[in-house]
Amino acid sequence: MKHIIFSLLFLISLPISANDWENNHVLQINREPARAAFMPFTLHKGDSEISLNGKWKFRWTKTPDERILNFYSPQYDCTDWKDIDVPANWEVNGYGTPIYISSGYPFKIDPPYVMKEPKHNWTTFSERNPTGQYRRTFIIPDNGQSARRYYIRFDGVQSAFYLWINGRKVGYSQGSMEPSEFDITSYVNKGANDIAVEVYKYSDASYLEDQDFWRFGGIQRSVTIFSTPDVQLRDYAVRTVAVDSSFSKFELQINPKLRVFDNETGAGYKVKAILSDEKGGSVVQLTADVSDILDIDHKAANMNEWFPQRGRSKFARMSAVVNNPHLWTSETPYLYNLRLQLVDSLGNVIQQTEQKLGFRDYKIKDGMLLVNGKQVRLRGVNRHEHDPKLARVMTEQRMQQDIKLMKAANINAVRTSHYPNVSRWYELCDSAGIYVMDEADCETHGLRGTLTSSPDWTEAFLDRAIRMGERDKNYTCIVFWSLGNESGFGVNHATMAGWLHEFDPTRFVHYEGAQGYDGNPDPACVDVVSRFYPRVMQEYLNPGIPVGADKERAENARWERLLEIAEKTNDNRPVLTSEYAHCMGNALGNFSEYWDEIYSNRRMLGGFVWDWVDQGIYSKDKGILYGGDFGDTPNLKAFCLNGVVFADRSTSSKYEELKYVYSPVRFSRHGDSIFVVNRCSHLSLSAFKASYRIMENGYESRHGSLFLPDVMPGDSAVIGQASKYSCHSDDDNRLDIDVFDRNGNNVITYQTALHDNLVSAAGKIQRERKLVRKSIKDCGFNVIPNFYRAPTDNDTGFGNWLAKDWKNNRLDSPTVCKINDEITEYRYPKGKIVVTQSADSLRFDCKGDLPELPCLGIVIKLPCDYEQLSWYGRGPWDNYPDRKHSSVVGLWKSNVTNQYTHYPRPQDNGNHEDCSMVQLKSSDGRIFRIEADDAPFSFSALHYSDIDIATAAHDYQLKPSKYTYLKINCAVLGLGNGSCGPGVLKKYSIDRTKSHTFKFRMYMR
């Protein structure tokens, strides 16, 4: 009796919701079990499916209470409703407010509830739970076919929905990035049918979807109806397993899943598998009996063989050894075609499907990831699914564009942050050669690790792993299953890992949140050690910390050093950074230093840059907008703009730097010898072609083909001696080497100085006639010392220490005190910069307590018609002390207008390092030219002042001025990674303990 009372009290104490979408134990109603992503057909692709993409009737309300209760009835007239596309997100189509939150929920936290009253200024106070009601009709053709089973597949709905067919409720599902299928056979009729869908933007599922992203709602992926016979190939799994260590033999293993209806037994039916190469040649043909696989009578002998009482169940219902297959890697993405056919007792093909597959073997051994026995390092990016106009909706064109840009940038890996992507993406990665870390749609950032520690949420967590693994199990490109992101670590993650390991022993499990404490190794349920935003081993700036103090600023100290982890002896798993080099705005400082360390230790696996694309939303009147621009509250403003590429996929200097550092072909110079290094894993350098050119003072003197020796992966070789390239030793001579892949695409451009006479070259580059040398005093323009830059996102990032220090010290508005004709002091609250000026030089001396300086130099205010620009130095894109590897020294021509990079949030850019000449020319032929006299300088030439840029919150607010602002600096601060990660390396800072002198020659016409 006591037990009964206790049980009743326990049940009474459980939270009970009348809403399925606020009950974490109701994950689905009548949803089909998860399966692989394929569409069956009978004779040709598409003949068994009906797309429901296109126009639907639509009604949107701010809350569920405002919805029409009986809208799903065929008798309800919805003709006056508006139309909406499917797939589409509501908020970019005029329905509701997009909300950008990095971490934290847009509604009041009280799991599993989402309807509790939030703060009155929050968007969800009025848009408590936006609800969308959809209606349309579809036709089931009466084509005389025998009885068919009908199913509907929703590839992704944010975040929960109900389904009705012809006025009858079919079921319910939740989970925004996973497919949901329903058997609708008993609900449809031949001819016209009515379908209704009711979507809720928030549900208990939203507690597992707290990713750093915009919060959208709607049917955001494709909707398809498909049909099968009563004997059906419901699912299948395919594996390729290496038979020997030479990888010359692989076993193809196939595990078909079958199902029957209406008293069918499958007797006499066969499953056929036909493997062909890329030219269509037959490689393997296999056959299996359907009735044996179904085993409807549960025969003891059958069960003992395939599902034994002890030990693991067997996988390969169909198998064959394939000799000497073409192997799949990111560098050699060879794909075979597998066709599976279901054949009836008369030999008729009644159902079939096709799958591209590659033969590859993934292993972890001695701390290394091995692909077909060779070590691979992941040169990766994180990728959100984002389109500036369509939000989460991914078109074929956009995905193809991403793939092409990634391959052109030498990227070989993608983390699907932080959810399974559209299925087509994995097909493209298979065909292009991109390793994939497939991540479960599971993030509880706003609740930290609260839910993973609760068995009440175990089913919900595991549902995310199962639906990801089942859908994506047949894609060759997937190396890692990831358990999600930023959700703490507990029993629920361990459960997910256990299921994935047992489900798929051919791949590995990743989760950055699974970390050890007090020096202990990370939990054993993950196969790789993963960290966010690590530091390199070099010294970082620590503003405000006394020199010699044994401490660091918390904003730096919070990030671990990846190489230190790899050097520990209490673990031997690979070590990677799943997020690093936060690409927010003008960023990607010291990127090369990361990869110097990665290549230095065998356990260092690589990493995924955060992230691929800016998540800005396009506005017709204002261009790209970010968090808060739609009145969304709360929001994290521009923190969504952190892509290697812009939202429209246009590129900047960040992309070029990443391409250079990620190049699999690298060069180095040791004395007179020039070495080439092969960073590929499976290709020798014979797969590439190279050419060279000799540049003398910026002009090409000769060029030719360059032979690349047959260097194997991981090896290097001398390709020449610098002294062999004869040229005038008193000129600035540089050797440029271009490497191209088999398709003629540039892989890297490397430059080394043959005779480094950068400064003297300035006087040899042809000066135009009638130039007159001028001094600072008689040039006719204001030459103003300048020690400020418009803060970059890194300057204003975590800790905000740089931009805050600049503001607190009034770096943009010093008190100017002229001491005499030569000396002027620029005074700040706790220090000063003393500028000593002569006719052709400036000396800068820092005194007292000054913040870390962004630059030391001058700004010259010229009329805006000084538009034509040429310079001798690094280009063509902008570069900084810690981001200049991809920029080679040359004689470059451009214009001032194109020098500014239009980041959605304006910030400093346009700098060029290692310059010895810059010239501006007006439309009527006036010229202003500066040449270095003893050391190179950096410059920028923009139609905006630092104050113009710093005070504009959006690019559309930034208007070109009447001036051209020419900044010349003898020292510039690096960019670092401080927007989310460690700051600037000390070696890229400005040394305030020494004098800095800038000597130059000024010419005018």
Side-chain angles (χ1 to χ4, degrees):
M1 186 65 180
K2 290 181 180 179
H3 292 297
I4 295 173
I5 295 172
F6 176 80
S7 299
L8 289 171
L9 289 173
F10 178 73
L11 289 171
I12 293 170
S13 68
L14 288 174
I16 298 173
S17 173
N19 301 315
D20 297 321
W21 40 270
E22 288 187 305
N23 186 339
N24 54 299
H25 296 288
V26 180
L27 306 179
Q28 54 84 21
I29 299 173
N30 290 335
R31 189 179 70 206
E32 288 283 288
R35 66 172 180 89
F38 70 93
M39 277 294 165
F41 59 94
T42 306
L43 298 176
H44 55 82
K45 290 182 179 180
D47 65 5
S48 300
E49 61 188 80
I50 303 167
S51 173
L52 295 191
N53 291 352
K55 299 294 183 183
W56 291 55
K57 288 297 181 182
F58 181 68
R59 183 176 184 271
W60 180 90
T61 59
K62 293 183 178 181
T63 69
D65 291 342
E66 300 171 83
R67 74 194 193 281
I68 296 172
L69 295 180
N70 67 335
F71 85 105
Y72 53 81
S73 170
Q75 285 71 48
Y76 181 83
D77 185 5
C78 63
T79 54
D80 62 341
W81 286 13
K82 294 182 179 180
D83 289 340
I84 193 171
D85 284 323
V86 168
N89 287 114
W90 302 334
E91 293 80 1
V92 292
N93 285 278
Y95 300 98
T97 306
I99 304 173
Y100 170 62
I101 302 178
S102 170
S103 62
Y105 298 96
F107 44 79
K108 182 177 175 60
I109 298 175
D110 185 16
Y113 305 107
V114 296
M115 292 288 288
K116 299 297 181 69
E117 184 174 301
K119 295 179 180 178
H120 286 207
N121 66 327
W122 283 28
T123 300
T124 51
F125 183 77
S126 60
E127 295 179 23
R128 189 64 53 85
N129 190 2
T131 305
Q133 295 179 304
Y134 296 76
R135 285 273 303 274
R136 68 162 288 171
T137 60
F138 63 91
I139 304 294
I140 297 293
D142 189 0
N143 52 16
Q145 282 186 312
S146 57
R148 304 282 290 179
R149 307 291 304 183
Y150 289 92
Y151 300 85
I152 188 168
R153 181 181 181 92
F154 294 83
D155 281 325
V157 180
Q158 184 97 21
S159 70
F161 70 99
Y162 291 99
L163 168 67
W164 293 263
I165 300 287
N166 295 324
R168 297 167 60 199
K169 182 182 283 189
V170 176
Y172 165 84
S173 186
Q174 62 185 50
S176 303
M177 299 302 188
E178 299 83 15
S180 302
E181 285 185 354
F182 299 91
D183 185 343
I184 57 173
T185 306
S186 62
Y187 298 85
V188 297
N189 309 305
K190 298 289 185 180
N193 292 266
D194 191 86
I195 181 172
V197 181
E198 187 169 87
V199 178
Y200 296 82
K201 182 171 181 177
Y202 306 121
S203 67
D204 59 270
S206 303
Y207 281 102
L208 302 187
E209 298 174 359
D210 190 29
Q211 291 94 350
D212 175 3
F213 198 77
W214 292 92
R215 310 306 163 99
F216 297 122
I219 303 175
Q220 58 196 15
R221 292 180 180 172
S222 293
V223 181
T224 309
I225 291 173
F226 65 95
S227 65
T228 73
D230 282 340
V231 179
Q232 65 181 226
L233 175 66
R234 189 193 171 273
D235 194 9
Y236 63 93
V238 181
R239 295 175 185 170
T240 61
V241 179
V243 175
D244 58 16
S245 59
S246 67
F247 304 98
S248 60
K249 292 183 179 181
F250 271 76
E251 184 178 20
L252 172 66
Q253 300 180 348
I254 306 169
N255 186 5
K257 302 289 186 181
L258 303 163
R259 188 163 60 172
V260 292
F261 295 89
D262 291 342
N263 299 317
E264 285 280 4
T265 64
Y269 284 72
K270 305 286 187 183
V271 178
K272 289 186 176 181
I274 304 165
L275 183 72
S276 56
D277 61 25
E278 63 179 14
K279 295 180 180 179
S282 178
V283 178
V284 166
Q285 295 193 26
L286 300 168
T287 303
D289 288 327
V290 168
S291 56
D292 286 346
I293 296 173
L294 283 170
D295 190 23
I296 292 175
D297 296 327
H298 300 291
K299 296 176 181 177
N302 201 325
M303 290 188 294
N304 288 337
E305 180 179 359
W306 293 99
F307 308 100
Q309 187 80 357
R310 295 171 181 84
R312 291 184 169 91
S313 59
K314 292 172 64 175
F315 176 81
R317 293 282 187 168
M318 309 168 76
S319 65
V321 172
V322 178
N323 294 314
N324 300 310
H326 297 280
L327 301 183
W328 186 95
T329 72
S330 70
E331 298 161 11
T332 59
Y334 190 99
L335 292 174
Y336 290 81
N337 189 71
L338 177 65
R339 176 170 290 209
L340 294 176
Q341 296 179 330
L342 186 59
V343 181
D344 67 14
S345 58
L346 299 177
N348 300 310
V349 176
I350 62 169
Q351 184 188 357
Q352 55 185 324
T353 190
E354 287 188 349
Q355 173 78 45
K356 298 292 185 182
L357 68 90
F359 285 87
R360 85 289 184 268
D361 176 83
Y362 297 144
K363 289 285 191 302
I364 287 178
K365 183 179 180 181
D366 295 330
M368 298 179 290
L369 171 65
L370 305 180
V371 177
N372 303 331
K374 304 294 184 181
Q375 183 179 15
V376 165
R377 286 188 166 94
L378 303 180
R379 305 187 299 269
V381 289
N382 285 274
R383 176 182 178 268
H384 264 304
E385 290 186 320
H386 181 76
D387 186 283
K389 295 181 180 180
L390 302 178
R392 286 191 183 272
V393 177
M394 287 288 100
T395 64
E396 177 73 12
Q397 179 184 14
R398 187 65 82 194
M399 288 188 286
Q400 291 269 12
Q401 184 182 24
D402 280 347
I403 286 284
K404 290 174 182 177
L405 283 168
M406 287 179 182
K407 292 297 287 187
N410 300 313
I411 291 164
N412 74 351
V414 169
R415 177 182 178 221
T416 65
S417 53
H418 299 293
Y419 39 80
N421 284 187
V422 173
S423 298
R424 176 62 176 154
W425 177 251
Y426 303 85
E427 295 177 358
L428 293 174
C429 290
D430 277 351
S431 62
I434 298 281
Y435 299 118
V436 172
M437 176 178 283
D438 199 11
E439 189 148 280
D441 185 17
C442 187
E443 178 164 345
T444 65
H445 200 152
L447 279 166
R448 307 306 190 266
T450 304
L451 299 185
T452 187
S453 303
S454 170
D456 193 51
W457 283 80
T458 301
E459 185 182 4
F461 274 70
L462 186 57
D463 179 69
R464 302 299 171 112
I466 292 173
R467 292 165 76 185
M468 172 184 68
E470 290 284 10
R471 191 199 72 167
D472 298 341
K473 57 186 175 246
N474 294 326
Y475 294 117
T476 300
C477 59
I478 296 173
V479 184
F480 287 97
W481 302 115
S482 181
L483 306 181
N485 188 64
E486 294 184 307
S487 303
F489 178 76
V491 64
N492 293 336
H493 283 111
T495 302
M496 295 170 75
W499 187 89
L500 286 165
H501 274 128
E502 193 62 30
F503 168 74
D504 182 10
T506 70
R507 295 183 175 98
F508 312 108
V509 170
H510 162 274
Y511 180 54
E512 186 270 342
Q515 297 190 14
Y517 293 94
D518 299 326
N520 293 311
D522 290 358
C525 64
V526 291
D527 300 306
V528 62
V529 176
S530 179
R531 294 294 185 270
F532 278 0
Y533 306 104
R535 289 177 288 169
V536 296
M537 299 297 286
Q538 299 175 40
E539 185 179 0
Y540 285 84
L541 279 182
N542 279 288
I545 304 298
V547 176
D550 187 23
K551 61 182 294 188
E552 295 180 280
R553 289 188 68 118
E555 296 89 350
N556 272 333
R558 64 180 293 182
W559 310 113
E560 295 182 70
R561 299 185 192 272
L562 208 63
L563 186 55
E564 283 186 348
I565 297 174
E567 290 174 341
K568 290 181 178 180
T569 58
N570 65 345
D571 202 325
N572 198 30
R573 285 173 285 187
V575 178
L576 71 83
T577 170
S578 47
E579 293 179 20
Y580 78 120
H582 198 258
C583 264
M584 187 175 179
N586 189 13
L588 209 67
N590 66 269
F591 191 55
S592 182
E593 279 83 355
Y594 278 109
W595 279 83
D596 290 342
E597 290 191 358
I598 288 169
Y599 286 127
S600 75
N601 187 293
R602 64 173 173 79
R603 288 184 62 199
M604 297 279 270
L605 177 53
F608 299 89
V609 168
W610 186 267
D611 59 8
W612 172 241
V613 59
D614 278 357
Q615 288 104 60
I617 296 179
Y618 176 77
S619 162
K620 184 177 180 180
D621 299 326
K622 298 179 178 180
I624 294 295
L625 301 181
Y626 50 77
D629 289 339
F630 301 91
D632 46 313
T633 303
N635 67 79
L636 201 55
K637 301 181 180 178
F639 204 62
C640 58
L641 305 174
N642 34 43
V644 174
V645 299
F646 290 107
D648 65 356
R649 272 56 171 186
S650 57
T651 64
S652 69
S653 49
K654 292 185 292 186
Y655 176 88
E656 302 296 340
E657 188 77 358
L658 180 140
K659 172 186 174 181
Y660 183 96
V661 175
Y662 272 2
S663 171
V665 183
R666 297 297 297 271
F667 296 87
S668 62
R669 174 90 173 266
H670 300 281
D672 193 44
S673 297
I674 302 171
F675 287 78
V676 63
V677 183
N678 186 357
R679 295 296 189 189
C680 295
S681 297
H682 298 90
L683 288 178
S684 80
L685 290 189
S686 63
F688 301 89
K689 294 186 182 300
S691 62
Y692 77 92
R693 58 186 174 274
I694 304 296
M695 307 298 294
E696 295 184 1
N697 300 330
Y699 295 94
E700 183 180 306
S701 64
R702 67 182 186 274
H703 66 272
S705 297
L706 182 66
F707 172 74
L708 290 178
D710 192 18
V711 178
M712 301 309 290
D715 290 340
S716 62
V718 175
I719 60 166
Q721 307 297 321
S723 59
K724 298 294 185 182
Y725 296 93
S726 59
C727 42
H728 298 100
S729 61
D730 56 347
D731 288 330
D732 187 55
N733 300 302
R734 296 177 185 268
L735 171 66
D736 291 356
I737 298 175
D738 293 308
V739 178
F740 304 93
D741 66 17
R742 68 193 75 182
N743 297 315
N745 302 310
N746 177 270
V747 175
I748 189 173
T749 297
Y750 166 78
Q751 184 181 80
T752 186
L754 302 176
H755 300 104
D756 191 352
N757 297 310
L758 176 64
V759 173
S760 62
K764 298 181 180 182
I765 296 172
Q766 186 176 5
R767 299 187 185 128
E768 300 198 38
R769 294 185 303 160
K770 298 182 180 180
L771 283 179
V772 178
R773 186 165 177 176
K774 296 285 187 177
S775 68
I776 294 176
K777 291 182 179 180
D778 63 8
C779 70
F781 298 114
N782 288 331
V783 180
I784 305 169
N786 177 68
F787 319 112
Y788 178 72
R789 74 182 181 199
T792 66
D793 286 314
N794 282 342
D795 297 334
T796 59
F798 276 21
N800 195 22
W801 68 63
L802 291 172
K804 184 186 295 183
D805 285 351
W806 299 344
K807 181 178 180 180
N808 292 341
N809 284 274
R810 295 187 290 104
L811 213 58
D812 60 336
S813 56
T815 300
V816 181
C817 297
K818 189 175 180 64
I819 305 304
N820 55 45
D821 288 344
E822 294 183 348
I823 299 174
T824 304
E825 293 183 352
Y826 291 79
R827 296 177 178 174
Y828 303 96
K830 298 180 181 180
K832 62 185 178 181
I833 300 175
V834 181
V835 180
T836 304
Q837 175 181 313
S838 66
D840 294 320
S841 71
L842 294 160
R843 191 181 78 223
F844 307 98
D845 293 285
C846 300
K847 308 289 184 180
D849 187 6
L850 292 170
E852 297 294 340
L853 298 175
C855 60
L856 278 173
I858 57 175
V859 59
I860 304 166
K861 194 175 176 181
L862 303 168
C864 65
D865 65 342
Y866 280 87
E867 173 71 7
Q868 299 176 47
L869 173 66
S870 60
W871 74 96
Y872 190 65
R874 290 195 180 270
W877 37 81
D878 64 345
N879 47 88
Y880 285 75
D882 57 353
R883 194 194 68 206
K884 63 182 183 180
H885 289 83
S886 64
S887 301
V888 298
V889 172
L891 179 58
W892 303 103
K893 298 182 185 298
S894 181
N895 59 58
V896 174
T897 298
N898 289 336
Q899 285 295 294
Y900 184 78
T901 301
H902 288 269
Y903 295 101
R905 192 193 75 77
Q907 55 200 278
D908 181 83
N909 66 80
N911 184 70
H912 293 275
E913 289 289 304
D914 302 324
C915 298
S916 62
M917 184 278 292
V918 59
Q919 177 174 295
L920 288 160
K921 188 175 182 179
S922 68
S923 55
D924 61 0
R926 288 169 291 139
I927 291 174
F928 188 90
R929 176 181 177 119
I930 286 183
E931 297 175 0
D933 190 57
D934 68 340
F937 58 82
S938 65
F939 87 90
S940 67
L942 305 173
H943 287 311
Y944 313 98
S945 70
D946 288 319
I947 300 303
D948 291 337
I949 298 170
T951 55
H954 296 83
D955 185 60
Y956 73 85
Q957 297 170 330
L958 193 60
K959 307 300 181 184
S961 71
K962 300 177 182 178
Y963 304 100
T964 293
Y965 295 90
L966 176 62
K967 290 175 65 176
I968 308 289
N969 290 306
C970 60
V972 170
L973 178 69
L975 295 169
N977 297 277
S979 58
C980 183
V984 180
L985 288 175
K986 190 170 184 178
K987 67 181 182 181
Y988 297 124
S989 66
I990 297 173
D991 188 350
R992 290 161 292 162
T993 65
K994 70 176 187 179
S995 294
H996 295 264
T997 302
F998 173 40
K999 296 181 180 179
F1000 57 90
R1001 299 182 296 273
M1002 185 184 295
Y1003 298 90
M1004 295 180 64
R1005 184 176 76 183

